[in-house]
Amino acid sequence: MAGYHEFAYFYDELNGEADYDALQQYIVSAFKNSGLPGNIVADLGCGTGELTLRLAGSGYDMIAIDASADMLSVLQNKLMQQPGPQVLLVCQDLTELDLYGGLHGAVCTFDTLNHIGPFCEMQKVLERVALFLEPGGIFIFDVNTPYKHTDILANETFVLEDDDAVCVWQNTHEPAKMRTQISLRITADDEETTETFYEYYCAPEQLAQACTSVGLTVQSVLDGETFAEPTPETQRLIFVAKKE
């Protein structure tokens, strides 16, 4: 599983187009509509915690889990600077998720599952989440679609920049392995660092079947940007699954 290092400290600035508020509103609505059995919710692959903090502000008892200690460090700084609800931080590989108690809900967004590894590794995450979800618990997760990997990321190069840093994002699509290699070159304060990791993809039907196999019933699959019915050009899918 990939873990951001230097990129963690520029993630928020370079990810400015992410609509956290819309995602928060969708998740809160989905939790309410599904009848979440309690308030304990885990944000899996929480990153710098932008969604975690919003959900905590909505009244959920949040557990923020990420394999990157650098990402959690950024979130810890945010928690120190803005007093509010308490959030438990856990540095853990999601394929080996191990908690002291059960969860009433869990979210895993912004293509965290794609970063985990091949489909067999994604399955492990689903198994671990299902193990810790209480009956009636809800798991909301998203994935980048095969279309996004083959037609959008492909072998393209993107440049992300703000006032403090420039990130050159270079993709190398490897269709035989159903993955895209992502190489980052970050320049800040006249210093340059590089990071390389992979995003994997699979057919949405595989994920739905994997949910069923671990006792999670998929209630809906929508476009992860518009929260409407998916189209052939949908780049991100969001799943809502319930523990029976």
Side-chain angles (χ1 to χ4, degrees):
M1 177 180 176
Y4 290 126
H5 299 290
E6 187 69 21
F7 187 55
Y9 300 99
F10 302 101
Y11 183 87
D12 288 337
E13 290 78 7
L14 297 173
N15 196 38
E17 295 184 0
D19 194 343
Y20 290 102
D21 291 333
L23 182 57
Q24 172 204 8
Q25 292 169 13
Y26 173 77
I27 290 171
V28 170
S29 176
F31 279 164
K32 289 181 178 177
N33 291 339
S34 300
L36 203 68
N39 285 328
I40 301 174
V41 174
D43 188 355
L44 309 175
C46 64
T48 62
E50 285 296 306
L51 180 61
T52 308
L53 295 173
R54 284 168 170 77
L55 292 176
S58 295
Y60 298 104
D61 299 324
M62 296 302 299
I63 304 172
I65 305 173
D66 204 287
S68 169
D70 294 284
M71 285 289 194
L72 291 174
S73 176
V74 174
L75 174 52
Q76 180 65 57
N77 287 336
K78 291 179 181 179
L79 290 168
M80 294 172 63
Q81 293 170 12
Q82 52 184 65
Q86 296 295 309
V87 175
L88 176 63
L89 306 187
V90 178
C91 190
Q92 206 170 84
D93 185 326
L94 298 184
T95 63
E96 300 175 358
L97 184 67
D98 191 13
L99 303 173
Y100 291 110
L103 299 171
H104 301 122
V107 298
C108 185
T109 57
F110 291 103
D111 50 274
T112 292
L113 272 185
N114 297 98
H115 286 267
I116 293 294
F119 176 65
C120 60
E121 296 296 297
M122 299 181 197
Q123 282 183 300
K124 291 180 182 179
V125 176
L126 295 174
E127 291 171 0
R128 300 305 293 177
V129 173
L131 177 64
F132 288 100
L133 270 182
E134 299 285 350
I138 302 297
F139 183 31
I140 299 175
F141 64 92
D142 70 22
V143 287
N144 281 338
T145 61
Y147 168 79
K148 182 170 184 177
H149 279 267
T150 59
D151 290 64
I152 304 300
L153 297 178
N155 292 299
E156 298 291 336
T157 297
F158 304 99
V159 178
L160 310 175
E161 58 184 314
D162 75 339
D163 294 336
D164 299 317
V166 176
C167 175
V168 178
W169 183 298
Q170 184 172 4
N171 301 309
T172 304
H173 185 218
E174 301 178 6
K177 296 183 178 180
M178 297 186 73
R179 70 183 187 183
T180 300
Q181 182 190 70
I182 298 172
S183 298
L184 306 181
R185 187 173 75 251
I186 304 162
T187 304
D189 297 326
D190 296 324
E191 294 186 5
E192 184 175 284
T193 59
T194 59
E195 295 186 33
T196 299
F197 52 88
Y198 294 93
E199 273 208 18
Y200 292 79
Y201 59 96
C202 65
E205 295 78 11
Q206 284 184 285
L207 287 171
Q209 292 171 0
C211 285
T212 300
S213 70
V214 298
L216 298 174
T217 300
V218 176
Q219 297 186 313
S220 64
V221 182
L222 299 176
D223 185 298
E225 303 291 346
T226 65
F227 308 111
E229 289 299 315
T231 72
E233 295 183 350
T234 288
Q235 296 184 34
R236 175 179 287 141
L237 291 172
I238 189 163
F239 289 69
V240 177
K242 187 171 186 177
K243 171 77 173 287
E244 300 300 335

